[in-house]
Amino acid sequence: MMIEEVLRRENMQEALKRVILNHGAPGVDGMTVDEVTPALVIRWEAIRKEILEDRYQPQPVRKVEIPKPDGKGMRTLGIPTVIDRLIQQAILQVLQPHFDATFSDGSFGFRPGRSAHQAIERAREHIASGCRWVVDMDLEKFFDRVNHDVLMSRLARRVADKRILHLIRRFLTAGVMVDGLVSERTQGTPQGGPLSPLLSNVLLDELDKELEKRGHRFARYADDCNVYVQSKAAGERVMASVERFLTDVLRLKVNREKSAVDRPWNRKFLGFSFTTQLKPRVKVSPQSVKRFKDKFREEVRRGRGRNLGAFIKELAPSHRGWMAYYRKAEVKGTFEELDLWIRRKLRCIMWRQWKRPKTRRRELTARGLSPEQARLSAGNGHGPWWNAGASHMNICVPIAFLSQLGLMSFLDEHLRLKSPL
């Protein structure tokens, strides 16, 4: 692999196409993806010469923090400039095929043709084979703590052109800009650049190979690794030995608070969990359901006072995306329960919007209740949540009405996605 292969016209054109299609926020220079093509017409020859002469210096990344999926803490992203993203993408397109061909069969994250759903299926196969204990390892702040020297030594085993290696190291050490000040980066490969996923797999492939050498059954997706064993005692031994390997060889740290040796159905893996049967079924993890409900409650708070139909339509894309990811789940009770809960929350919104007993009585009467039933229901003294689950609101705001407003049924969508085309 030579830097000339990275800079080949066809490779750069494909990289530019992907960077533009990915959209993405501007880096520290403020350049957008719409502005990059005109800028390259002027600047590309100078940039190309700097890269070939091993002089190119990437700009610092722009620090962005987003909430973690579990709601506990923030995840740090490092957003490179669009031109630096272009160069990283070009490097990725050259390195990925060479490295991916030798990656472990138990690795599923950030690899062409592989997915989280395949990792879940592999985990289920291991459980069904009799490995009904899991060593669930959480690597502490993995992307922030990757050791640059260890990573570069692994890359150097496969990449002969020193210019590629020097360029990658400069990307790793480019620094982070916060409030106009640049801080040095001596470790880590911040999420946000095209190269980061591949670099994480290059480093963690050594863990995969070690697990294979020891004969362990495992599934790994990025830094989320589960090893499946037949007893708790075996799991404790694996946890201790793998932790030593990660610490001594890869300079990584296991977060013992978030890691455990437990039954697979007591843990979550990529948002999923499993049933206890000998032939386990995949289900949405309780933690994922809780996260969904917490997010929905927040959306409801923001949507108070708005037209219900518009609110439902605004939620539809994210709900369909959530369902598309969790279509792998086979336990449909979760989707039935979510449908009931969401409908009740929406009826709760309507009850709040009606506000006064007089308005509630009028609305209930208009929707089919007798005047006496409407009077008693409107003045029952209970709160919105109680009323949202009561028979009068179920009668007056039926499922068909909410469906007409655009509300998706999670259960129906699950069955549709499961049906053969």
Side-chain angles (χ1 to χ4, degrees):
M1 287 174 280
M2 301 292 288
I3 197 69
E4 286 79 7
E5 190 178 350
V6 172
L7 297 174
R8 189 169 48 88
R9 182 178 180 81
E10 294 79 8
N11 188 57
M12 294 305 306
Q13 287 176 332
E14 178 62 23
L16 179 60
K17 178 182 173 183
R18 294 193 184 189
V19 167
I20 292 173
L21 285 175
N22 286 337
H23 300 293
V28 295
D29 62 354
M31 182 185 291
T32 67
V33 291
D34 295 327
E35 298 168 331
V36 67
T37 303
L40 288 171
V41 172
I42 300 169
R43 297 171 53 190
W44 176 243
E45 280 307 315
I47 292 171
R48 186 176 186 276
K49 184 179 180 182
E50 288 180 5
I51 294 172
L52 285 170
E53 295 177 357
D54 204 5
R55 294 187 292 109
Y56 183 79
Q57 183 60 53
Q59 294 192 62
V61 297
R62 182 168 63 87
K63 182 179 179 180
V64 176
E65 291 187 329
I66 60 172
K68 288 186 177 180
D70 59 7
K72 298 177 181 176
M74 304 295 285
R75 173 168 291 156
T76 300
L77 302 182
I79 309 300
T81 65
V82 181
I83 287 178
D84 284 343
R85 291 208 296 272
L86 169 68
I87 297 167
Q88 286 194 33
Q89 179 65 40
I91 296 171
L92 174 69
Q93 290 168 185
V94 170
L95 297 190
Q96 181 94 52
H98 291 277
F99 280 95
D100 195 80
T102 61
F103 282 159
S104 166
D105 188 49
S107 165
F108 296 91
F110 308 126
R111 297 183 60 190
R114 292 192 160 229
S115 68
H117 288 174
Q118 291 174 327
I120 293 299
E121 186 56 40
R122 181 64 56 83
R124 175 169 52 182
E125 291 171 6
H126 293 329
I127 299 166
S129 74
C131 297
R132 293 169 65 80
W133 288 87
V134 63
V135 181
D136 183 0
M137 288 181 293
D138 181 89
L139 298 179
E140 190 172 285
K141 296 182 178 178
F142 169 72
F143 286 94
D144 296 333
R145 294 191 172 174
V146 168
N147 183 284
H148 291 172
D149 291 336
V150 174
L151 172 58
M152 293 308 302
S153 71
R154 272 57 182 176
L155 285 169
R157 294 172 184 174
R158 304 279 301 279
V159 180
D161 193 330
K162 293 289 192 293
R163 292 171 296 178
I164 295 178
L165 296 173
H166 294 164
L167 185 54
I168 292 173
R169 185 178 274 276
R170 290 191 196 112
F171 277 119
L172 291 173
T173 59
V176 180
M177 182 174 285
V178 183
D179 297 328
L181 298 175
V182 177
S183 58
E184 287 187 16
R185 192 168 68 225
T186 58
Q187 61 180 6
T189 169
Q191 298 174 79
L195 261 179
S196 182
L198 175 63
L199 297 181
S200 69
N201 273 333
V202 168
L203 186 63
L204 290 176
D205 184 59
E206 193 150 346
L207 169 63
D208 299 339
K209 294 298 193 293
E210 182 67 18
L211 293 173
E212 287 177 343
K213 187 172 75 174
R214 299 180 186 186
H216 292 313
R217 297 171 182 261
F218 70 97
R220 182 178 66 78
Y221 191 97
D223 58 334
D224 201 344
C225 183
N226 280 5
V227 184
Y228 295 88
V229 295
Q230 294 184 341
S231 69
K232 185 175 183 179
E236 298 288 359
R237 288 195 299 272
V238 169
M239 176 69 84
S241 63
V242 171
E243 185 174 5
R244 283 195 301 273
F245 174 83
L246 288 167
T247 302
D248 297 343
V249 178
L250 299 185
R251 313 270 185 88
L252 297 171
K253 186 177 180 182
V254 173
N255 186 333
R256 291 309 296 259
E257 289 184 8
K258 294 183 179 180
S259 303
V261 177
D262 204 344
R263 296 292 195 176
W265 43 89
N266 294 332
R267 307 293 293 179
K268 67 177 175 68
F269 182 41
L270 304 178
F272 292 90
S273 190
F274 302 91
T275 61
T276 61
Q277 291 104 320
L278 292 177
K279 291 185 177 180
R281 298 165 69 209
V282 178
K283 65 178 185 179
V284 182
S285 73
Q287 297 94 325
S288 297
V289 174
K290 181 181 182 302
R291 281 203 303 271
F292 176 90
K293 287 184 174 182
D294 289 343
K295 183 178 178 183
F296 189 86
R297 287 189 188 99
E298 182 59 34
E299 289 165 338
V300 166
R301 280 192 287 272
R302 290 200 303 268
R304 281 179 184 169
R306 295 181 54 203
N307 176 273
L308 191 66
F311 178 64
I312 288 172
K313 286 184 173 121
E314 186 179 295
L315 294 177
S318 65
H319 285 192
R320 291 192 185 280
W322 191 89
M323 191 64 246
Y325 180 74
Y326 286 105
R327 70 183 185 275
K328 180 73 177 174
E330 299 162 299
V331 179
K332 64 181 183 180
T334 300
F335 306 116
E336 291 175 308
E337 188 270 336
L338 275 178
D339 279 343
L340 289 169
W341 185 83
I342 290 170
R343 289 196 290 263
R344 187 169 178 178
K345 291 294 287 186
L346 294 175
R347 292 180 181 121
C348 188
I349 290 174
M350 295 187 73
W351 187 262
R352 287 181 185 278
Q353 288 179 342
W354 294 342
K355 292 183 179 178
R356 295 179 298 176
K358 180 180 178 181
T359 307
R360 289 168 179 167
R361 184 168 67 249
R362 185 182 69 240
E363 290 287 347
L364 292 173
T365 303
R367 291 165 183 271
L369 282 192
S370 69
E372 181 61 17
Q373 285 177 307
R375 184 185 67 81
L376 292 172
S377 298
N380 61 44
H382 290 289
W385 182 248
W386 185 92
N387 278 283
S391 59
H392 53 270
M393 284 298 282
N394 280 269
I395 292 169
C396 295
V397 189
I399 297 173
F401 171 76
L402 295 173
S403 298
Q404 286 173 359
L405 293 180
L407 180 66
M408 180 191 80
S409 164
F410 279 83
L411 179 60
D412 290 349
E413 185 70 2
H414 177 253
L415 294 175
R416 185 186 72 80
L417 292 170
K418 283 289 185 183
S419 299
L421 296 177

